[in-house]
Amino acid sequence: MFVRIVKMGFQDQNIEAFLANFEANKEKIRHFEGCKFLELYRDKNDPTIFFTYSYWETENDLENYRHSDIFKNVWAKTKPLFNIPPMAWSVDKLETLS
């Protein structure tokens, strides 16, 4: 399993559209085959910056999602809202302390 982190920045006037799109699709994303966890974060110092954290069983699962109609529809609505290019990382979780 690995973690996918995506950083996105939006124009102020587009934040509500982004949040509405996320709300409408979050369950579909979370229940896509191989997705085990999904969270949305908002930066405390810059309210136009958001992050998604998702856990995936395999890289192939993430790639299948990225080529799915769900992703294409979400991305088509999200991409025009950015004020900075999005950044993404795939990382392996080494430790969790609770």
Side-chain angles (χ1 to χ4, degrees):
M1 187 174 321
F2 70 97
V3 180
R4 180 71 166 185
I5 304 165
V6 180
K7 177 183 178 183
M8 301 166 286
F10 298 95
Q11 298 172 19
D12 284 328
Q13 67 271 21
N14 294 333
I15 291 172
E16 288 306 314
F18 164 70
L19 291 173
N21 189 34
F22 184 84
E23 181 67 26
N25 291 285
K26 65 185 181 184
E27 293 294 331
K28 295 176 198 169
I29 298 167
R30 168 55 188 88
H31 291 101
F32 194 88
E33 186 175 347
C35 183
K36 300 300 179 190
F37 181 82
L38 175 64
E39 287 186 323
L40 176 65
Y41 300 107
R42 190 175 204 170
D43 189 276
K44 291 188 81 56
N45 297 314
D46 184 346
T48 68
I49 301 292
F50 292 80
F51 300 85
T52 57
Y53 276 60
S54 54
Y55 293 4
W56 294 87
E57 284 290 329
T58 68
E59 290 183 35
N60 195 49
D61 291 328
L62 175 60
E63 285 306 306
N64 287 340
Y65 167 68
R66 292 182 68 222
H67 291 95
S68 72
D69 288 340
I70 296 169
F71 177 81
K72 290 174 186 172
N73 290 333
V74 169
W75 200 246
K77 293 177 183 173
T78 304
K79 191 173 180 181
L81 306 176
F82 292 135
N83 68 352
I84 59 172
M87 299 175 68
W89 299 268
S90 291
V91 299
D92 292 320
K93 185 183 348 181
L94 300 180
E95 270 189 68
T96 299
L97 303 173
S98 297

XYZ file of all heavy atoms in Angstrom:
838
model
N 0.848 -1.171 0.000
C 0.000 0.000 0.000
C 0.895 1.235 0.000
O 1.975 1.234 0.566
C -0.895 0.004 1.236
C -1.905 1.122 1.191
S -3.135 1.161 2.512
C -3.536 -0.514 2.785
N 0.424 2.281 -0.675
C 1.172 3.530 -0.687
C 0.222 4.712 -0.608
O -0.990 4.564 -0.751
C 2.089 3.627 -1.917
C 1.354 3.817 -3.214
C 1.195 5.075 -3.762
C 0.806 2.731 -3.887
C 0.518 5.254 -4.960
C 0.130 2.893 -5.075
C -0.010 4.154 -5.614
N 0.790 5.880 -0.360
C 0.013 7.098 -0.173
C 0.228 8.003 -1.368
O 1.359 8.186 -1.829
C 0.443 7.827 1.123
C -0.368 9.100 1.326
C 0.325 6.905 2.322
N -0.861 8.581 -1.857
C -0.808 9.572 -2.937
C -1.186 10.916 -2.325
O -2.252 11.058 -1.713
C -1.778 9.195 -4.052
C -1.799 10.154 -5.206
C -0.537 10.063 -6.024
N -0.729 10.739 -7.302
C 0.153 10.750 -8.257
N 1.298 10.119 -8.122
N -0.075 11.387 -9.376
N -0.310 11.892 -2.468
C -0.532 13.241 -1.954
C -0.610 14.173 -3.148
O 0.284 14.168 -3.997
C 0.623 13.681 -1.030
C 0.807 12.677 0.105
C 0.380 15.104 -0.506
C 2.119 12.837 0.847
N -1.665 14.963 -3.214
C -1.825 15.922 -4.304
C -2.057 17.302 -3.694
O -2.942 17.476 -2.848
C -3.002 15.548 -5.234
C -3.137 16.567 -6.362
C -2.817 14.144 -5.795
N -1.247 18.266 -4.116
C -1.374 19.659 -3.676
C -2.004 20.456 -4.802
O -1.568 20.381 -5.955
C 0.002 20.244 -3.354
C -0.036 21.703 -2.951
C 1.373 22.233 -2.715
C 1.341 23.706 -2.366
N 2.700 24.244 -2.211
N -3.051 21.224 -4.452
C -3.773 22.012 -5.446
C -4.015 23.413 -4.910
O -4.340 23.585 -3.735
C -5.130 21.363 -5.745
C -5.040 19.949 -6.273
S -6.627 19.085 -6.218
C -6.774 18.769 -4.472
N -3.863 24.404 -5.758
C -4.156 25.785 -5.399
C -5.238 26.329 -6.304
O -5.223 26.089 -7.518
N -6.174 27.078 -5.699
C -7.327 27.570 -6.448
C -7.471 29.078 -6.328
O -7.081 29.672 -5.314
C -8.616 26.915 -5.923
C -8.627 25.425 -6.091
C -8.236 24.593 -5.062
C -8.997 24.863 -7.293
C -8.236 23.220 -5.223
C -8.995 23.494 -7.465
C -8.612 22.668 -6.429
N -8.045 29.659 -7.343
C -8.429 31.057 -7.264
C -9.555 31.161 -6.232
O -10.385 30.266 -6.113
C -8.900 31.550 -8.624
C -7.827 31.480 -9.694
C -8.364 31.784 -11.077
O -9.421 32.377 -11.235
N -7.644 31.345 -12.084
N -9.580 32.248 -5.464
C -10.579 32.415 -4.400
C -11.998 32.134 -4.885
O -12.757 31.430 -4.223
C -10.533 33.840 -3.836
C -9.359 34.063 -2.906
O -8.944 33.107 -2.215
O -8.853 35.196 -2.873
N -12.332 32.682 -6.027
C -13.698 32.562 -6.520
C -14.042 31.145 -6.980
O -15.211 30.852 -7.247
C -13.975 33.569 -7.647
C -13.213 33.312 -8.926
C -11.861 33.979 -8.993
O -11.271 34.337 -7.978
N -11.344 34.155 -10.208
N -13.044 30.259 -7.061
C -13.277 28.891 -7.527
C -13.300 27.849 -6.416
O -13.557 26.671 -6.680
C -12.207 28.498 -8.554
C -12.316 29.311 -9.818
O -13.377 29.794 -10.172
N -11.209 29.468 -10.506
N -13.047 28.259 -5.194
C -12.968 27.303 -4.088
C -14.300 26.592 -3.867
O -14.344 25.369 -3.698
C -12.460 27.983 -2.805
C -10.982 28.367 -2.998
C -12.653 27.090 -1.589
C -10.401 29.207 -1.901
N -15.391 27.312 -3.879
C -16.696 26.672 -3.652
C -17.014 25.656 -4.741
O -17.575 24.591 -4.459
C -17.800 27.715 -3.526
C -17.744 28.506 -2.224
C -17.727 27.623 -0.971
O -18.529 26.667 -0.895
O -16.905 27.886 -0.078
N -16.649 25.960 -5.977
C -16.875 25.007 -7.078
C -16.038 23.750 -6.869
O -16.519 22.626 -7.085
C -16.556 25.652 -8.419
N -14.787 23.919 -6.437
C -13.945 22.758 -6.148
C -14.549 21.915 -5.031
O -14.654 20.690 -5.145
C -12.526 23.179 -5.770
C -11.765 22.071 -5.103
C -11.356 20.958 -5.824
C -11.492 22.118 -3.737
C -10.682 19.906 -5.201
C -10.815 21.080 -3.109
C -10.412 19.977 -3.846
N -14.929 22.565 -3.942
C -15.482 21.822 -2.803
C -16.783 21.099 -3.171
O -17.007 19.967 -2.737
C -15.696 22.757 -1.616
C -14.416 23.283 -0.961
C -14.740 24.334 0.085
C -13.599 22.145 -0.365
N -17.608 21.723 -3.977
C -18.848 21.073 -4.418
C -18.545 19.856 -5.284
O -19.191 18.802 -5.149
C -19.725 22.068 -5.172
N -17.566 19.971 -6.163
C -17.168 18.852 -7.019
C -16.581 17.715 -6.171
O -16.891 16.542 -6.403
C -16.160 19.330 -8.064
C -15.866 18.294 -9.117
O -16.718 17.514 -9.517
N -14.635 18.283 -9.593
N -15.764 18.053 -5.195
C -15.208 17.023 -4.308
C -16.330 16.336 -3.542
O -16.365 15.104 -3.452
C -14.187 17.632 -3.345
C -13.510 16.597 -2.486
C -12.414 15.897 -2.961
C -13.980 16.315 -1.216
C -11.792 14.921 -2.179
C -13.370 15.351 -0.429
C -12.274 14.656 -0.912
N -17.238 17.110 -3.001
C -18.364 16.550 -2.239
C -19.187 15.586 -3.091
O -19.578 14.518 -2.632
C -19.252 17.683 -1.701
C -20.421 17.217 -0.878
C -20.023 16.571 0.446
O -18.943 16.882 0.991
O -20.797 15.733 0.938
N -19.422 15.959 -4.327
C -20.239 15.137 -5.220
C -19.550 13.839 -5.632
O -20.229 12.879 -6.018
C -20.614 15.948 -6.465
N -18.221 13.795 -5.528
C -17.471 12.639 -6.048
C -16.641 11.883 -5.023
O -16.079 10.839 -5.352
C -16.563 13.100 -7.194
C -17.370 13.490 -8.403
O -17.878 12.628 -9.110
N -17.511 14.791 -8.635
N -16.565 12.353 -3.808
C -15.658 11.753 -2.824
C -15.964 10.280 -2.554
O -15.046 9.478 -2.409
C -15.634 12.557 -1.529
C -16.956 12.568 -0.774
C -16.888 13.484 0.415
C -18.196 13.475 1.178
N -18.158 14.449 2.278
N -17.216 9.913 -2.508
C -17.563 8.509 -2.246
C -17.173 7.616 -3.426
O -16.722 6.487 -3.231
C -19.042 8.363 -1.925
C -19.457 9.005 -0.612
C -18.846 8.331 0.617
O -18.564 7.114 0.559
O -18.658 9.027 1.629
N -17.339 8.130 -4.634
C -16.941 7.359 -5.822
C -15.433 7.137 -5.839
O -14.958 6.050 -6.174
C -17.369 8.080 -7.098
C -18.850 8.199 -7.292
C -19.135 9.020 -8.530
C -20.552 9.532 -8.512
N -20.782 10.538 -9.542
N -14.696 8.184 -5.492
C -13.234 8.070 -5.455
C -12.825 7.083 -4.374
O -12.053 6.157 -4.618
C -12.577 9.446 -5.215
C -12.912 10.411 -6.359
C -11.065 9.295 -5.036
C -12.579 11.860 -6.051
N -13.358 7.277 -3.166
C -12.980 6.428 -2.031
C -13.311 4.961 -2.283
O -12.598 4.064 -1.833
C -13.669 6.934 -0.765
C -13.622 6.014 0.432
C -12.202 5.615 0.815
N -12.227 4.594 1.829
C -12.278 3.284 1.604
N -12.315 2.802 0.379
N -12.294 2.425 2.598
N -14.387 4.686 -2.987
C -14.791 3.303 -3.211
C -14.321 2.742 -4.550
O -14.724 1.655 -4.936
C -16.302 3.167 -3.036
C -16.696 3.366 -1.605
N -17.217 4.547 -1.150
C -16.580 2.549 -0.532
C -17.430 4.450 0.148
N -17.043 3.252 0.550
N -13.445 3.489 -5.234
C -12.848 2.953 -6.443
C -11.947 1.783 -6.045
O -11.299 1.817 -4.993
C -12.036 4.028 -7.176
C -11.678 3.657 -8.576
C -12.546 3.943 -9.615
C -10.489 2.996 -8.858
C -12.231 3.584 -10.918
C -10.167 2.632 -10.151
C -11.047 2.927 -11.187
N -11.912 0.761 -6.876
C -11.130 -0.434 -6.548
C -9.682 -0.079 -6.236
O -9.007 0.596 -7.011
C -11.159 -1.432 -7.701
C -10.483 -2.735 -7.367
C -10.602 -3.769 -8.463
O -11.407 -3.600 -9.387
O -9.853 -4.757 -8.373
N -9.231 -0.497 -5.064
C -7.858 -0.255 -4.645
C -7.677 0.947 -3.744
O -6.651 1.060 -3.074
N -8.648 1.856 -3.706
C -8.550 3.021 -2.821
C -9.043 2.613 -1.434
O -10.169 2.170 -1.269
C -9.369 4.195 -3.353
S -9.197 5.687 -2.335
N -8.185 2.786 -0.427
C -8.497 2.347 0.925
C -8.750 3.492 1.897
O -9.203 3.260 3.016
C -7.356 1.465 1.463
C -7.111 0.229 0.625
C -8.359 -0.624 0.590
C -8.181 -1.870 -0.254
N -9.446 -2.557 -0.478
N -8.474 4.723 1.469
C -8.564 5.847 2.396
C -8.509 7.129 1.577
O -7.780 7.200 0.594
C -7.367 5.786 3.360
C -7.312 6.849 4.397
C -8.053 6.745 5.563
C -6.491 7.950 4.230
C -7.972 7.721 6.550
C -6.406 8.935 5.195
C -7.152 8.806 6.366
N -9.282 8.141 1.982
C -9.264 9.430 1.282
C -9.526 10.539 2.282
O -10.463 10.458 3.076
C -10.340 9.453 0.186
C -10.530 10.769 -0.569
C -9.280 11.133 -1.371
C -11.744 10.677 -1.482
N -8.685 11.558 2.246
C -8.887 12.749 3.071
C -8.616 13.988 2.238
O -7.810 13.960 1.311
C -7.948 12.760 4.283
C -8.315 11.772 5.343
C -7.465 11.885 6.601
O -6.245 12.154 6.498
O -8.028 11.695 7.679
N -9.277 15.081 2.631
C -9.055 16.390 2.026
C -8.607 17.327 3.135
O -9.238 17.389 4.197
C -10.342 16.917 1.385
C -10.278 18.322 0.794
C -9.314 18.386 -0.391
C -11.673 18.786 0.377
N -7.514 18.048 2.889
C -6.982 19.008 3.842
C -6.956 20.401 3.224
O -6.836 20.538 2.008
C -5.537 18.659 4.242
C -5.375 17.319 4.890
C -4.781 16.266 4.195
C -5.788 17.097 6.199
C -4.606 15.034 4.788
C -5.614 15.857 6.798
C -5.013 14.833 6.089
O -4.837 13.604 6.661
N -7.020 21.409 4.100
C -6.888 22.806 3.665
C -5.752 23.446 4.462
O -5.685 23.297 5.687
C -8.194 23.556 3.934
C -8.241 24.926 3.319
C -9.608 25.543 3.534
N -9.887 26.541 2.543
C -11.075 27.097 2.381
N -12.096 26.724 3.126
N -11.247 28.020 1.461
N -4.873 24.144 3.769
C -3.737 24.788 4.409
C -4.209 25.824 5.424
O -5.118 26.605 5.138
C -2.856 25.446 3.337
C -1.546 25.933 3.909
O -1.521 27.054 4.452
O -0.549 25.193 3.808
N -3.598 25.842 6.601
C -3.992 26.775 7.658
C -3.562 28.213 7.358
O -4.206 29.145 7.822
C -3.420 26.340 9.001
C -4.067 25.068 9.523
C -3.654 24.745 10.927
C -4.387 25.489 11.981
N -5.820 25.400 12.011
N -2.483 28.386 6.599
C -1.972 29.732 6.337
C -2.421 30.297 5.000
O -2.414 31.513 4.825
C -0.444 29.730 6.412
C 0.037 29.377 7.799
O -0.458 29.900 8.794
N 0.985 28.464 7.875
N -2.768 29.437 4.071
C -3.218 29.874 2.752
C -4.489 29.101 2.402
O -4.418 27.957 1.951
C -2.141 29.637 1.693
C -2.528 30.169 0.323
O -3.720 30.495 0.104
O -1.634 30.248 -0.538
N -5.653 29.687 2.620
C -6.917 28.964 2.423
C -7.237 28.624 0.966
O -8.237 27.968 0.696
C -7.970 29.901 3.014
C -7.349 31.253 2.963
C -5.863 31.047 3.112
N -6.363 29.011 0.035
C -6.576 28.634 -1.367
C -5.845 27.342 -1.724
O -5.970 26.856 -2.846
C -6.110 29.751 -2.326
O -4.691 29.880 -2.258
C -6.791 31.083 -2.017
N -5.081 26.793 -0.769
C -4.298 25.571 -0.997
C -4.984 24.386 -0.319
O -5.330 24.444 0.862
C -2.861 25.709 -0.454
C -2.124 26.875 -1.121
C -2.088 24.397 -0.608
C -1.827 26.669 -2.580
N -5.148 23.302 -1.083
C -5.761 22.071 -0.592
C -4.846 20.896 -0.913
O -4.065 20.944 -1.859
C -7.116 21.846 -1.260
C -8.159 22.843 -0.857
C -8.202 24.102 -1.434
C -9.099 22.531 0.111
C -9.161 25.028 -1.062
C -10.059 23.449 0.490
C -10.094 24.702 -0.098
N -4.995 19.837 -0.130
C -4.266 18.595 -0.342
C -5.242 17.431 -0.264
O -6.133 17.432 0.586
C -3.210 18.367 0.745
C -2.167 19.426 0.838
C -2.393 20.577 1.579
C -0.946 19.267 0.193
C -1.421 21.561 1.675
C 0.031 20.247 0.293
C -0.204 21.402 1.033
N -5.067 16.451 -1.129
C -5.753 15.183 -0.936
C -4.716 14.149 -0.558
O -3.588 14.158 -1.068
C -6.522 14.715 -2.187
O -5.632 14.621 -3.296
C -7.677 15.659 -2.509
N -5.091 13.280 0.368
C -4.296 12.118 0.761
C -5.150 10.905 0.476
O -6.285 10.824 0.944
C -3.977 12.155 2.264
C -2.768 12.982 2.625
C -2.713 14.330 2.335
C -1.695 12.397 3.263
C -1.611 15.081 2.674
C -0.589 13.148 3.623
C -0.553 14.497 3.314
O 0.550 15.235 3.640
N -4.627 9.994 -0.282
C -5.355 8.755 -0.548
C -4.391 7.587 -0.433
O -3.216 7.700 -0.765
C -6.030 8.785 -1.924
O -5.114 9.094 -2.952
N -4.906 6.474 0.077
C -4.124 5.249 0.214
C -4.583 4.289 -0.867
O -5.791 4.079 -1.043
C -4.350 4.592 1.571
C -3.842 5.351 2.766
C -3.281 6.620 2.676
C -3.940 4.784 4.029
C -2.831 7.294 3.786
C -3.497 5.459 5.149
C -2.947 6.707 5.031
O -2.502 7.382 6.142
N -3.625 3.691 -1.553
C -3.901 2.778 -2.662
C -3.206 1.449 -2.433
O -2.060 1.418 -1.976
C -3.440 3.410 -3.981
C -4.244 4.623 -4.303
C -3.992 5.902 -3.884
C -5.457 4.666 -5.035
N -4.984 6.739 -4.342
C -5.893 6.006 -5.056
C -6.217 3.705 -5.698
C -7.061 6.405 -5.698
C -7.375 4.093 -6.343
C -7.786 5.426 -6.342
N -3.888 0.380 -2.789
C -3.320 -0.965 -2.649
C -2.091 -1.133 -3.543
O -1.065 -1.618 -3.088
C -4.356 -2.034 -3.001
C -5.380 -2.257 -1.924
C -4.793 -2.928 -0.678
O -3.851 -3.720 -0.796
O -5.309 -2.631 0.406
N -2.213 -0.756 -4.821
C -1.111 -0.921 -5.763
C -1.039 0.294 -6.683
O -2.014 1.038 -6.831
C -1.287 -2.177 -6.651
O -2.396 -1.972 -7.529
C -1.491 -3.433 -5.816
N 0.098 0.459 -7.327
C 0.240 1.527 -8.316
C -0.708 1.311 -9.488
O -1.212 2.272 -10.066
C 1.688 1.620 -8.791
C 2.612 2.146 -7.708
C 4.045 2.313 -8.179
O 4.247 2.676 -9.356
O 4.942 2.083 -7.356
N -0.952 0.053 -9.827
C -1.883 -0.258 -10.906
C -3.300 0.217 -10.570
O -4.025 0.699 -11.446
C -1.872 -1.764 -11.205
C -2.533 -2.069 -12.526
O -2.236 -1.444 -13.534
N -3.432 -3.039 -12.509
N -3.703 0.109 -9.301
C -5.023 0.604 -8.886
C -5.125 2.115 -9.109
O -6.128 2.609 -9.623
C -5.287 0.290 -7.411
C -5.467 -1.187 -7.146
O -5.978 -1.904 -8.033
O -5.099 -1.628 -6.036
N -4.079 2.829 -8.725
C -4.072 4.284 -8.938
C -4.120 4.604 -10.423
O -4.867 5.486 -10.854
C -2.852 4.935 -8.291
C -2.688 6.434 -8.546
C -3.869 7.238 -8.032
C -1.381 6.931 -7.948
N -3.346 3.900 -11.219
C -3.351 4.144 -12.668
C -4.717 3.833 -13.278
O -5.189 4.564 -14.152
C -2.252 3.336 -13.353
C -0.870 3.904 -13.134
C -0.769 5.375 -13.526
O -1.123 5.737 -14.670
O -0.332 6.176 -12.688
N -5.363 2.766 -12.814
C -6.715 2.458 -13.294
C -7.675 3.595 -12.951
O -8.509 3.982 -13.770
C -7.222 1.141 -12.707
C -6.536 -0.059 -13.310
O -5.964 0.008 -14.398
N -6.569 -1.163 -12.584
N -7.554 4.138 -11.747
C -8.381 5.283 -11.358
C -8.074 6.487 -12.258
O -8.995 7.154 -12.742
C -8.147 5.643 -9.881
C -8.714 6.980 -9.530
C -10.096 7.191 -9.520
C -7.896 8.064 -9.249
C -10.632 8.437 -9.222
C -8.417 9.305 -8.948
C -9.782 9.489 -8.942
O -10.304 10.727 -8.666
N -6.817 6.769 -12.484
C -6.434 7.938 -13.290
C -6.907 7.834 -14.738
O -6.994 8.843 -15.428
C -4.919 8.149 -13.220
C -4.493 8.574 -11.811
C -3.017 8.837 -11.691
N -2.704 10.026 -12.465
C -1.632 10.140 -13.236
N -0.774 9.166 -13.362
N -1.416 11.258 -13.896
N -7.215 6.619 -15.207
C -7.732 6.424 -16.556
C -9.242 6.164 -16.573
O -9.799 5.858 -17.623
C -6.985 5.272 -17.247
C -5.566 5.626 -17.544
N -4.524 5.295 -16.704
C -5.013 6.320 -18.570
C -3.398 5.763 -17.208
N -3.660 6.391 -18.339
N -9.883 6.309 -15.426
C -11.316 6.019 -15.315
C -12.169 7.230 -15.693
O -11.697 8.370 -15.695
C -11.658 5.605 -13.884
O -11.596 6.721 -13.004
N -13.420 6.970 -15.978
C -14.363 8.053 -16.264
C -14.559 8.947 -15.040
O -14.753 10.159 -15.186
C -15.709 7.491 -16.723
C -15.644 6.910 -18.128
O -14.706 7.270 -18.886
O -16.513 6.097 -18.470
N -14.526 8.348 -13.854
C -14.674 9.152 -12.631
C -13.587 10.218 -12.583
O -13.871 11.400 -12.405
C -14.616 8.268 -11.367
C -15.795 7.301 -11.332
C -14.581 9.123 -10.104
C -15.672 6.218 -10.266
N -12.327 9.802 -12.726
C -11.217 10.758 -12.682
C -11.333 11.787 -13.803
O -11.162 12.985 -13.573
C -9.867 10.043 -12.775
C -8.710 11.001 -12.797
C -8.226 11.540 -11.618
C -8.118 11.383 -13.993
C -7.152 12.433 -11.633
C -7.057 12.271 -14.014
C -6.576 12.803 -12.827
N -11.625 11.323 -15.013
C -11.717 12.253 -16.145
C -12.780 13.313 -15.905
O -12.561 14.497 -16.203
C -11.997 11.485 -17.430
C -10.806 10.660 -17.889
C -11.147 9.802 -19.089
C -9.987 8.872 -19.435
N -10.330 7.899 -20.465
N -13.918 12.927 -15.334
C -14.987 13.893 -15.060
C -14.600 14.857 -13.940
O -14.828 16.068 -14.046
C -16.285 13.165 -14.706
C -16.883 12.452 -15.894
O -16.672 12.838 -17.047
N -17.632 11.398 -15.634
N -14.013 14.319 -12.873
C -13.591 15.175 -11.757
C -12.506 16.138 -12.221
O -12.559 17.341 -11.949
C -13.093 14.311 -10.572
C -12.395 15.166 -9.519
C -14.242 13.536 -9.959
N -11.514 15.626 -12.937
C -10.394 16.456 -13.373
C -10.832 17.522 -14.367
O -10.336 18.644 -14.329
C -9.303 15.568 -13.957
C -7.968 16.244 -13.985
C -7.258 16.598 -15.088
C -7.185 16.653 -12.862
N -6.083 17.188 -14.730
C -6.008 17.243 -13.367
C -7.367 16.586 -11.489
C -5.024 17.763 -12.531
C -6.376 17.100 -10.666
C -5.226 17.675 -11.192
N -11.772 17.189 -15.249
C -12.253 18.172 -16.234
C -12.882 19.374 -15.546
O -12.766 20.502 -16.031
C -13.253 17.517 -17.175
N -13.519 19.147 -14.396
C -14.140 20.253 -13.653
C -13.149 20.951 -12.729
O -13.331 22.118 -12.398
C -15.325 19.728 -12.838
C -16.466 19.264 -13.698
C -17.587 18.697 -12.856
C -18.695 18.161 -13.749
N -19.725 17.455 -12.967
N -12.114 20.229 -12.305
C -11.159 20.780 -11.345
C -10.049 21.581 -12.014
O -9.686 22.665 -11.548
C -10.532 19.637 -10.505
O -11.584 18.902 -9.879
C -9.588 20.172 -9.457
N -9.517 21.075 -13.102
C -8.347 21.676 -13.743
C -8.515 23.165 -14.068
O -7.592 23.954 -13.810
C -7.989 20.881 -14.995
C -6.656 21.243 -15.582
C -6.288 20.316 -16.719
C -4.948 20.696 -17.299
N -4.560 19.836 -18.412
N -9.654 23.617 -14.602
C -9.777 25.047 -14.922
C -9.817 25.964 -13.692
O -9.702 27.178 -13.829
C -11.101 25.140 -15.678
C -11.473 23.757 -16.056
C -10.798 22.855 -15.082
N -9.959 25.397 -12.511
C -10.098 26.194 -11.292
C -8.762 26.553 -10.640
O -8.710 27.398 -9.762
C -10.956 25.435 -10.269
C -12.326 24.957 -10.753
C -13.013 24.138 -9.652
C -13.194 26.110 -11.201
N -7.668 25.917 -11.085
C -6.364 26.100 -10.455
C -5.803 27.507 -10.679
O -5.999 28.112 -11.720
C -5.339 25.107 -11.014
C -5.599 23.679 -10.655
C -5.500 22.688 -11.613
C -5.934 23.302 -9.367
C -5.714 21.365 -11.298
C -6.162 21.987 -9.036
C -6.046 21.011 -10.004
N -5.051 27.969 -9.668
C -4.266 29.197 -9.842
C -2.770 28.900 -9.853
O -1.961 29.782 -10.106
C -4.608 30.236 -8.774
C -4.171 29.830 -7.380
O -3.729 28.707 -7.141
N -4.307 30.739 -6.440
N -2.412 27.643 -9.540
C -1.031 27.162 -9.646
C -1.094 25.737 -10.192
O -2.111 25.063 -10.027
C -0.281 27.171 -8.284
C -1.001 26.284 -7.258
C -0.082 28.581 -7.767
C -0.244 26.074 -5.968
N -0.024 25.272 -10.828
C -0.043 23.880 -11.298
C -0.128 22.913 -10.111
O 0.540 23.119 -9.093
C 1.290 23.719 -12.025
C 1.738 25.104 -12.340
C 1.185 25.976 -11.251
N -0.936 21.888 -10.221
C -1.002 20.906 -9.138
C 0.302 20.115 -9.053
O 1.029 19.995 -10.037
C -2.170 20.002 -9.538
C -2.243 20.134 -11.019
C -1.801 21.529 -11.337
N 0.577 19.594 -7.872
C 1.757 18.762 -7.656
C 1.301 17.473 -7.001
O 0.397 17.484 -6.165
C 2.760 19.478 -6.751
C 3.276 20.784 -7.334
S 4.353 21.667 -6.189
C 5.756 20.576 -6.154
N 1.919 16.351 -7.372
C 1.527 15.063 -6.811
C 2.748 14.242 -6.458
O 3.769 14.297 -7.145
C 0.648 14.308 -7.808
N 2.614 13.482 -5.371
C 3.661 12.589 -4.919
C 3.046 11.243 -4.579
O 1.968 11.170 -3.996
C 4.334 13.115 -3.649
C 4.989 14.435 -3.788
C 6.283 14.694 -4.115
C 4.379 15.725 -3.587
N 6.513 16.047 -4.129
C 5.365 16.699 -3.811
C 3.093 16.145 -3.241
C 5.114 18.060 -3.699
C 2.838 17.499 -3.141
C 3.841 18.439 -3.363
N 3.744 10.184 -4.908
C 3.409 8.847 -4.444
C 4.508 8.449 -3.469
O 5.688 8.458 -3.816
C 3.349 7.856 -5.604
O 2.250 8.133 -6.426
N 4.113 8.132 -2.237
C 5.085 7.844 -1.187
C 4.720 6.548 -0.474
O 3.548 6.175 -0.404
C 5.189 9.002 -0.176
C 5.646 10.293 -0.851
C 3.871 9.239 0.547
N 5.725 5.889 0.041
C 5.522 4.716 0.878
C 5.492 5.149 2.341
O 6.367 5.902 2.783
C 6.648 3.695 0.678
C 6.618 3.075 -0.702
O 5.514 2.782 -1.193
O 7.698 2.882 -1.293
N 4.476 4.703 3.054
C 4.384 5.001 4.479
C 5.360 4.091 5.220
O 5.314 2.873 5.057
C 2.966 4.783 4.991
C 2.817 5.201 6.419
C 1.470 4.985 7.087
C 0.316 4.639 6.265
N -0.908 4.479 7.069
N 6.240 4.666 5.992
C 7.222 3.886 6.724
C 6.795 3.572 8.149
O 7.111 2.512 8.679
C 8.576 4.587 6.726
C 9.206 4.834 5.356
C 10.549 5.529 5.505
C 9.351 3.528 4.589
N 6.089 4.525 8.776
C 5.678 4.333 10.164
C 4.409 5.102 10.446
O 4.185 6.151 9.862
C 6.748 4.870 11.124
C 7.783 3.882 11.520
C 8.667 4.409 12.635
O 8.178 4.573 13.762
O 9.836 4.640 12.346
N 3.629 4.565 11.354
C 2.457 5.268 11.884
C 2.480 5.134 13.392
O 2.609 4.034 13.923
C 1.143 4.646 11.332
O 1.132 4.764 9.928
C -0.066 5.369 11.908
N 2.377 6.250 14.079
C 2.290 6.258 15.544
C 0.936 6.838 15.925
O 0.531 7.863 15.409
C 3.405 7.097 16.143
C 4.822 6.699 15.783
C 5.816 7.713 16.307
C 5.141 5.311 16.299
N 0.256 6.174 16.820
C -1.059 6.668 17.279
C -1.003 7.023 18.740
O -0.255 6.500 19.502
C -2.118 5.604 17.070
O -2.245 5.331 15.692
